[in-house]
């Protein structure tokens, strides 16, 4: 406004633009402080939630793992007994190996199926919408409910699967899918997880696939790249952050496997499908040794942190 | 004059003080029995937790008690498998119900963890200590103190299908008198063919096997545990013989193939189907099977060559350690152990009374099968071990692995290795 003020003298001389009135330093400082306070206020609910539901339980579990922690009464420090006893627990040893084996098998299979489904429904075609919905639909069923559903379906007493397979001539006589042998029990659980989670992972991978600009594919085609070369040199590298994300979710989910084995196989036959979380459950609620359960939980948490650090490393390298 | 006035004032003050103290004494928990030995019926709302298996009995008790008392008991039940976890969580949160029952074999663990209030003095004053099921009472005892009293009794017996017995040419009024005879009967019935099988057992269920196989070991004069519940004896000849007999029945196809995988949930259903000739099972299933139109006979579980026994199971119950209504909760427990409750609620409902002096009553005499079941209380056992659940009932227990090996794998090695593993588990701190 001041630049439009007519000059007082005949000589046109632009007047220096007067500086906008600056608030005194003390006021500036208090404004900045109030802005910061407002920001902190906005963040408070989240901070309280994170503190209350994530950090406090985490610290408590760590603290418990250093104590003999009875259900009622005062805990007594027994560090590092809960940790050293992990090595003596034979069930932990077998559960670790089983959980690792399950994690490797499940991750490979689930990723292959989910990626395959994502590639299948990537292009807009007739019927693709139906397929995408059908693949995702099992996510609507709760995991415990899905496990019970499979238990019923696979039961020779009440389920139709065995009858159907017998009629088709695939099997003969009595077959127990969930506890007949360690292989069939593991297989049953894996089919359940594939059915329940393949669609969800497909959705994430599909989002990643569709984020790749079409121009990149066109350029590759102009350069004469084959479909395989395009997939290997364009799709996979550009999908790396998404792949890292789903792999981390799959690995974390598999290492924390519980429901499918608890409901479907009860950890059997002969403890062959007892996962690490089932051992934690047993220590806490069957043996009522909360300190021991906390120690195994902390050890498992450490493994999960390692996997998550690797994932973050991969993601950061790409971005 | 002045000093006399002061003295009068002091006396008055002292009298007022004494009166005030006496008045406060009216609220003294000791005086009302809150921490005394008598029960209190003052209109308190009491919560009672139980596992699904014995829910109907707890509800029948509560209904009959509520009808005649000011206190009101509300029963909540949880699925059997989830119940121990539910209790542990409630204890961790110091929010146990006023009363909670537990499978009698888990009672020692809960007592040792201090989850129940000490009932020693109350029980001693009640005059019932020598009249209730000793196995249940022992199970709820830890370091000489009583923490739980009997709540329900369920025993293992041989249940046989009378129609199949007749079809197989066997006398439906005469059950087997030894385990070998049981096997013979099962084989004869299995020959009927079709969907019919001679017998059935829970081959993937530690609890089912201990409940139905151990009486045969006891019947043969053997034992499974020492008195303190710290050493296993599952590698004995008696145990080996019992497993061998059932294993032969499975290998021959006399036992239904699903026996190998039976983890408990479909055990009752298999017997209710009417296609199983004879099988050991809980006595409370007698009515449940007959509800499906299957006529059943009852026989004791015997050793291979005779000698009857039974596993006295069921529930023990105590007052939650965090409850503030212990006197009122005790009032309910006292009533459940009374003659009125045992005869008019339990015996009338075809159950087994927890009172040994009421085994014969006006209802039991009406059904000779109930008389037989009640008579077994004196011959049976309730095993005692602090780590019973972790060692025997849990799906990850060393016992289940032993059972699987003895029935379907290398029997001798499984029993030897299993004995060491179970002993280690029993002795774990």
């Amino acid at each position: 406004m001041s630049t439009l003020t007519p000059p007082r003298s005949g000589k046109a001389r632009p007047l220096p633009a007067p500086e906008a009135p600056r608030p005194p330093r003390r006021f500036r400082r208090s404004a900045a402080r109030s802005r910061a306070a407002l920001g902190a206020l906005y963040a408070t609910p989240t901070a309280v939630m994170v503190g209350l539901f994530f950090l406090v339980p985490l610290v408590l579990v760590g603290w418990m793992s250093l104590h003999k922690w009875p259900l009622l009464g005062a805990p007594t420090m027994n560090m590092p007994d809960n940790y050293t006893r992990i090595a003596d627990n034979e069930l932990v040893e077998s559960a670790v190996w089983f959980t690792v084996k399950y994690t490797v098998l499940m991750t490979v299979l689930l990723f292959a199926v989910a990626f395959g489904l994502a590639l299948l429904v990537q292009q807009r075609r007739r019927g693709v919408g139906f397929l995408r919905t059908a693949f995702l639909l099992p996510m609507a069923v709760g995991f415990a409910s899905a496990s019970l559903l499979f238990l019923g379906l696979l039961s020779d007493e009440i389920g139709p699967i065995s009858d159907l397979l017998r009629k088709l001539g695939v099997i003969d006589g009595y077959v127990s899918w969930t506890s007949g042998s360690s292989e069939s029990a593991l297989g049953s659980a894996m089919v359940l997880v594939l059915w329940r989670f393949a669609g969800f992972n497909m959705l994430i991978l599909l989002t990643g696939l569709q984020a790749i600009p079409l121009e990149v594919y066109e350029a590759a085609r102009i350069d004469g790249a084959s479909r395989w070369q395009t997939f290997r040199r364009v799709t996979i590298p550009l999908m790396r952050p998404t792949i890292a994300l789903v792999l981390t979710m799959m690995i974390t989910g598999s290492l924390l496997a519980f429901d499918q084995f608890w409901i479907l196989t009860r950890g059997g036959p002969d403890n062959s499908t007892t996962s690490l979380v089932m051992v934690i459950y047993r220590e806490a609620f069957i043996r009522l040794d909360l300190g021991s359960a906390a120690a195994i939980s902390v050890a498992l948490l450490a493994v999960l942190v390692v996997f998550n650090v690797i994932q973050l490393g991969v993601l950061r390298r790409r971005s | 004059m002045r000093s006399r006035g002061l003295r009068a004032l002091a006396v008055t003050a002292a009298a007022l003080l004494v009166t005030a103290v006496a008045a406060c004494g009216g609220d003294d928990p000791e005086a009302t029995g809150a921490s005394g030995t008598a029960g209190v019926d003052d209109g308190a709302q009491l919560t009672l937790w139980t596992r699904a298996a014995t829910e109907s009995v707890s509800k029948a008790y509560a209904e009959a008690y509520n009808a005649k008392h000011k206190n009101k008991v509300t029963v909540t039940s949880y699925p059997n498998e989830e119940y121990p976890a539910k209790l542990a969580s409630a204890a961790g949160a110091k929010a146990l119900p006023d009363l909670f029952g537990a499978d009698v074999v888990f009672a020692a663990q809960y007592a040792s963890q201090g989850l129940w209030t000490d009932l020693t003095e109350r029980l001693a004053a009640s005059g019932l200590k020598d009249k209730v099921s000793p196995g249940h009472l022992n199970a709820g005892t830890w370091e000489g103190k009583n923490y739980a009293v009997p709540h329900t009794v369920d025993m293992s017996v041989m249940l046989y299908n009378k129609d199949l017995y007749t079809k197989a040419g066997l006398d439906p009024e005469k059950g087997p008198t030894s385990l070998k005879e049981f096997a013979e009967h099962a084989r004869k019935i299995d020959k009927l063919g079709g969907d019919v099988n001679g017998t059935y057992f829970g081959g993937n269920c530690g609890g089912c096997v201990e409940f139905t196989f151990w009486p045969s070991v006891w019947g043969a004069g053997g034992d499974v545990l020492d008195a303190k519940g710290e050493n296993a004896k599952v590698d004995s000849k008696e145990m080996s013989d019992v497993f061998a007999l059932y294993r032969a029945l499975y290998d021959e196809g006399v036992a239904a193939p699903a026996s190998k995988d039976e983890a408990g949930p479909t055990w009752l259903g298999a017997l209710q189907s009417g296609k199983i000739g004879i099988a050991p099972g809980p006595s409370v299933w007698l009515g449940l099977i007959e509800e499906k139109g299957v006529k059943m006979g009852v026989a004791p579980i015997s050793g291979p060559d005779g000698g009857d026994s039974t596993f006295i199971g069921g529930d023990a119950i105590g007052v939650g350690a965090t409850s503030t209504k212990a006197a009122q909760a005790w009032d309910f427990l006292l009533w459940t152990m009374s003659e009125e409750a045992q005869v008019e609620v339990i015996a009338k409902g075809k159950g087994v009374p927890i009172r040994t002096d009421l085994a014969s009553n006006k209802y039991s005499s009406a059904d000779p099968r109930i008389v037989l079941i009640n008579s077994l209380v004196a011959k049976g056992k309730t095993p005692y071990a602090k780590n019973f659940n972790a060692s025997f009932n849990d799906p990850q227990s060393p016992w289940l692995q032993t059972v699987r090996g003895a029935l379907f794998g290398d029997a001798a090695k499984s029993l030897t290795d299993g004995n060491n593993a179970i002993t280690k588990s029993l002795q774990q701190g």
Side-chain angles (χ1 to χ4, degrees):
Chain A
M1 291 294 280
S2 59
T3 50
L4 296 175
T5 311
R8 279 182 219 154
S9 63
K11 195 175 174 186
R13 191 162 60 95
L15 287 168
E19 283 181 9
R22 294 187 69 182
R25 179 173 288 186
R26 206 178 58 197
F27 180 76
R28 280 207 315 271
R29 208 178 284 163
S30 78
R33 208 175 293 150
S34 72
R35 267 202 309 277
L38 193 66
L41 201 65
Y42 280 131
T44 304
T46 311
V48 169
M49 294 281 275
V50 168
L52 213 59
F53 295 110
F54 293 92
L55 295 179
V56 170
L58 199 64
V59 172
L60 187 63
V61 167
W63 186 241
M64 276 173 101
S65 72
L66 307 175
H67 289 76
K68 184 175 173 57
W69 198 285
L71 290 176
L72 289 171
T76 46
M77 179 82 78
N78 70 346
M79 184 174 63
D81 286 7
N82 292 328
Y83 287 96
T84 51
R85 274 211 307 264
I86 295 175
D88 301 333
N89 192 331
E90 287 166 18
L91 197 59
V92 169
E93 193 185 325
S94 72
V96 164
W97 286 119
F98 170 71
T99 308
V100 169
K101 176 179 149 188
Y102 168 76
T103 301
V104 171
L105 287 173
M106 199 67 242
T107 305
V108 170
L109 208 61
L110 188 57
F111 180 74
V113 172
F115 207 11
L117 292 178
L119 291 170
L120 193 71
V121 297
Q122 184 187 5
Q123 308 293 341
R124 287 219 159 272
R125 276 194 301 260
R126 199 180 165 82
V128 155
F130 170 77
L131 286 178
R132 286 179 185 174
T133 312
F135 294 151
L136 195 63
L137 213 56
M139 270 305 285
V141 184
F143 196 30
S145 311
S147 303
L148 280 169
L149 181 73
F150 265 61
L151 186 66
L153 287 171
L154 294 171
S155 159
D156 197 72
E157 304 286 316
I158 56 170
I161 303 281
S162 292
D163 287 340
L164 193 71
L165 293 176
R166 260 193 292 271
K167 274 179 193 157
L168 293 172
V170 179
I171 58 168
D172 187 26
Y174 178 82
V175 175
S176 168
W177 298 106
T178 52
S179 55
S181 68
S182 53
E183 290 80 16
S184 70
L186 176 60
S188 305
M190 286 178 66
V191 170
L192 160 68
V193 176
L194 274 180
W195 177 78
R196 176 65 170 56
F197 288 102
F200 176 68
N201 287 293
M202 172 208 76
L203 194 70
I204 298 170
L205 289 165
L206 192 62
T207 315
L209 280 173
Q210 293 188 335
I212 300 172
L214 284 176
E215 292 80 9
V216 184
Y217 284 116
E218 278 167 19
R221 201 164 55 236
I222 290 164
D223 287 347
S226 67
R227 284 174 82 97
W228 171 243
Q229 279 172 324
T230 310
F231 178 72
R232 211 165 66 89
R233 298 285 167 92
V234 176
T235 309
I236 294 285
L238 290 176
M239 283 284 287
R240 233 163 92 170
T242 316
I243 291 171
L245 175 70
V246 290
L247 284 181
T248 306
M249 280 167 51
M250 285 173 189
I251 291 168
T252 307
S254 301
L255 287 174
L256 296 176
F258 178 75
D259 306 47
Q260 62 269 45
F261 298 117
W262 180 252
I263 294 171
L264 205 59
T265 68
R266 302 292 288 178
D270 307 328
N271 296 340
S272 62
T273 59
T274 300
S275 70
L276 208 45
V277 178
M278 282 179 78
V279 178
I280 295 172
Y281 181 92
R282 176 180 151 85
E283 290 295 307
F285 298 121
I286 305 296
R287 293 199 55 241
L288 306 182
D289 190 342
L290 299 183
S292 167
I296 304 172
S297 303
V298 170
L300 182 58
L301 178 73
V303 175
L304 289 172
V305 166
V306 169
F307 277 110
N308 281 284
V309 165
I310 293 170
Q311 180 237 359
L312 285 174
V314 171
L315 281 178
R316 281 188 183 136
R317 200 149 30 110
R318 286 306 303 165
S319 59
Chain B
M1 181 68 195
R2 196 178 166 196
S3 68
R4 200 181 296 163
L6 274 174
R7 198 179 300 160
L9 192 66
V11 169
T12 312
L16 281 172
L17 193 65
V18 169
T19 313
V21 169
C24 289
D27 294 333
D28 183 14
E30 196 67 44
T32 57
S35 65
T37 53
V40 171
D41 182 22
D42 61 358
Q45 297 288 329
L46 300 167
T47 51
L48 188 161
W49 284 6
T50 181
R51 60 189 177 123
T54 48
E55 174 193 7
S56 58
V57 184
S58 299
K59 282 196 166 161
Y61 274 134
E63 213 171 282
Y65 177 82
N66 291 348
K68 291 185 178 177
H69 293 78
K70 288 185 208 157
N71 291 340
K72 299 294 171 220
V73 178
T74 309
V75 177
T76 308
S77 77
Y78 296 95
N80 292 6
E81 292 79 12
E82 316 308 328
Y83 190 52
K86 183 74 192 165
L87 278 179
S89 307
K94 298 192 174 28
L96 282 165
D98 298 308
L99 293 146
F100 69 89
D103 190 330
V104 63
V105 288
F106 301 170
Q109 188 186 24
Y110 295 153
S112 74
Q113 290 274 335
L115 303 193
W116 279 315
T117 300
D118 183 2
L119 298 175
T120 314
E121 285 178 24
R122 287 184 166 111
L123 187 63
S126 72
L128 292 167
K129 199 171 175 179
D130 300 327
K131 294 179 180 172
V132 295
S133 164
H136 280 60
L137 212 54
N138 185 41
T141 303
W142 181 251
E143 292 178 344
K145 290 182 178 174
N146 301 110
Y147 291 92
V149 296
H151 189 53
T152 66
V153 171
D154 184 17
M155 295 186 301
S156 48
V157 288
M158 279 290 176
L159 298 165
Y160 63 88
N161 184 317
K162 287 190 173 181
D163 288 340
L164 293 179
Y165 255 59
T166 308
K167 279 184 195 168
L170 295 161
D171 182 356
E173 299 309 320
K174 214 176 148 195
T177 54
S178 71
L179 207 61
K180 284 176 182 164
E181 201 180 339
F182 146 76
E184 276 171 36
H185 288 189
R187 286 187 179 104
K188 276 187 185 167
I189 294 165
D190 195 61
K191 280 183 187 151
L192 292 172
D195 287 348
V196 172
N197 276 107
T199 190
Y200 192 76
F201 56 82
N204 196 21
C205 164
C208 312
V209 173
E210 80 210 17
F211 192 60
T212 53
F213 286 24
W214 289 8
S216 295
V217 176
W218 295 329
D223 216 336
V224 185
L225 284 171
D226 66 358
K228 285 187 173 178
E230 290 174 354
N231 289 288
K233 297 178 178 178
V234 303
D235 55 352
S236 65
K237 184 183 179 304
E238 291 88 355
M239 181 69 87
S240 168
D241 289 347
V242 171
F243 272 122
L245 188 137
Y246 278 98
R247 182 182 177 127
L249 291 175
Y250 180 79
D251 289 343
E252 291 165 25
V254 174
S259 302
K260 187 177 180 183
D261 306 310
E262 179 55 68
T266 51
W267 190 16
L268 171 62
L271 300 188
Q272 281 176 327
S273 70
K275 290 168 186 166
I276 302 295
I278 178 166
S283 60
V284 290
W285 283 1
L286 179 62
L288 296 172
I289 296 169
E290 291 203 322
E291 272 175 17
K292 302 282 174 184
V294 186
K295 282 187 217 153
M296 298 301 289
V298 176
I301 298 179
S302 313
D305 298 306
D308 306 334
S309 191
T310 184
F311 190 117
I312 305 175
D315 281 12
I317 190 168
V319 178
T322 57
S323 171
T324 54
K325 301 168 195 163
Q328 290 88 341
W330 175 243
D331 190 65
F332 173 73
L333 294 186
L334 261 182
W335 180 83
T336 61
M337 293 186 285
S338 69
E339 184 168 347
E340 180 195 358
Q342 288 305 305
V343 175
E344 294 304 325
V345 177
I346 300 299
K348 193 177 179 183
K350 293 192 173 182
V352 181
I354 57 157
R355 290 262 297 265
T356 48
D357 59 330
L358 298 174
S360 297
N361 54 69
K362 62 177 176 179
Y363 295 108
S364 67
S365 54
D367 187 340
R369 297 173 305 178
I370 305 292
V371 175
L372 172 81
I373 292 168
N374 287 0
S375 74
L376 288 172
V377 174
K379 299 179 183 177
K381 289 188 182 187
T382 303
Y384 179 90
K386 182 172 81 87
N387 290 334
F388 199 91
N389 192 8
S391 308
F392 293 104
N393 280 46
D394 182 49
Q396 274 69 51
S397 68
W399 165 247
L400 183 56
Q401 257 191 309
T402 310
V403 166
R404 304 272 303 169
L407 287 171
F408 315 113
D410 185 343
K413 187 178 183 305
S414 294
L415 289 174
T416 313
D417 293 352
N419 199 64
N420 295 332
I422 295 167
T423 298
K424 193 177 160 190
S425 171
L426 288 168
Q427 292 174 354
Q428 220 160 18

